[in-house]
Amino acid sequence: MGANRNQNWDDLLDQLKNGQIPHDQIGSTIVKLGKPFASARIIAAKDTVALYLDHSDSWVRHEAMWFLTAWGKLNEYQPALIGALRTDPDNDNRSFAATCLGRLREGTSDAEAVAALKGTVEDQTQDELVRLYAYGALRQVVKGDSDLAYSPHEHKLSDVDWGWVNSL
């Protein structure tokens, strides 16, 4: 049975690589490639999945970010997260990029992550919820707070510790 599962996984990856997955099934296919978690599979699929970071469908971009960073913990995709945080046309994806960046760099005080997240928190042109997600992720990167410790939906910008943000 294990060989059959691997063959099915390999077939699925080949189909995704060759553009043979129907548009409305790409996001779920990316998830299938990631579960159950296996480092070797993440590494084998990462280049193919990375091709979908700029896909026209916001859900596909979301699942590609999840696979590579929140699930796969591949630091090499940090620039893609920062790009999505700044420019993804979908507010939910910008929020999710912040969440992924927080998970990827939790407790590291990574300078690039801090600068990108701080910039988003301070950017008054961004959606309030995106800014709050960025604040939660900033806390996670700098303080090591779990993403479960801060719920952006339960806060307002007036709750942000602006003194702390400005000190970074």
Side-chain angles (χ1 to χ4, degrees):
M1 181 173 244
N4 188 30
R5 278 193 188 151
N6 283 339
Q7 184 60 46
N8 290 340
W9 187 90
D10 290 337
D11 290 345
L12 205 56
L13 179 58
D14 285 342
Q15 290 170 7
L16 186 64
K17 191 182 298 185
N18 296 322
Q20 297 169 327
I21 302 292
H23 181 87
D24 64 341
Q25 295 176 25
I26 295 172
S28 62
T29 297
I30 291 171
V31 172
K32 287 176 188 172
L33 289 172
K35 292 186 176 184
F37 182 85
S39 293
R41 285 183 170 186
I42 298 296
I43 298 303
K46 71 182 179 108
D47 292 338
T48 298
V49 172
L51 298 173
Y52 292 91
L53 287 167
D54 294 319
H55 195 271
S56 61
D57 185 299
S58 64
W59 183 248
V60 171
R61 293 191 308 275
H62 180 279
E63 294 309 313
M65 283 190 282
W66 166 82
F67 182 96
L68 296 166
T69 61
W71 189 249
K73 302 285 188 198
L74 300 173
N75 291 330
E76 67 196 85
Y77 294 100
Q78 178 173 321
L81 285 180
I82 291 171
L85 176 63
R86 292 179 177 153
T87 64
D88 194 285
D90 185 81
N91 286 343
D92 287 340
N93 275 359
R94 288 196 307 278
S95 296
F96 190 63
T99 298
C100 290
L101 194 53
R103 289 178 184 166
L104 188 65
R105 293 303 196 182
E106 184 173 334
T108 66
S109 294
D110 178 83
E112 288 181 16
V114 169
L117 292 165
K118 179 182 178 192
T120 301
V121 172
E122 295 173 331
D123 184 350
Q124 295 180 10
T125 66
Q126 284 280 6
D127 179 80
E128 180 175 3
L129 201 51
V130 172
R131 294 172 71 191
L132 290 169
Y133 269 93
Y135 179 67
L138 185 61
R139 291 168 44 118
Q140 193 171 4
V141 171
V142 175
K143 297 181 176 186
D145 289 350
S146 163
D147 60 344
L148 301 176
Y150 177 83
S151 176
H153 291 276
E154 297 174 6
H155 293 278
K156 296 183 182 332
L157 286 172
S158 59
D159 298 330
V160 169
D161 181 349
W162 291 105
W164 176 72
V165 171
N166 292 329
S167 75
L168 299 173

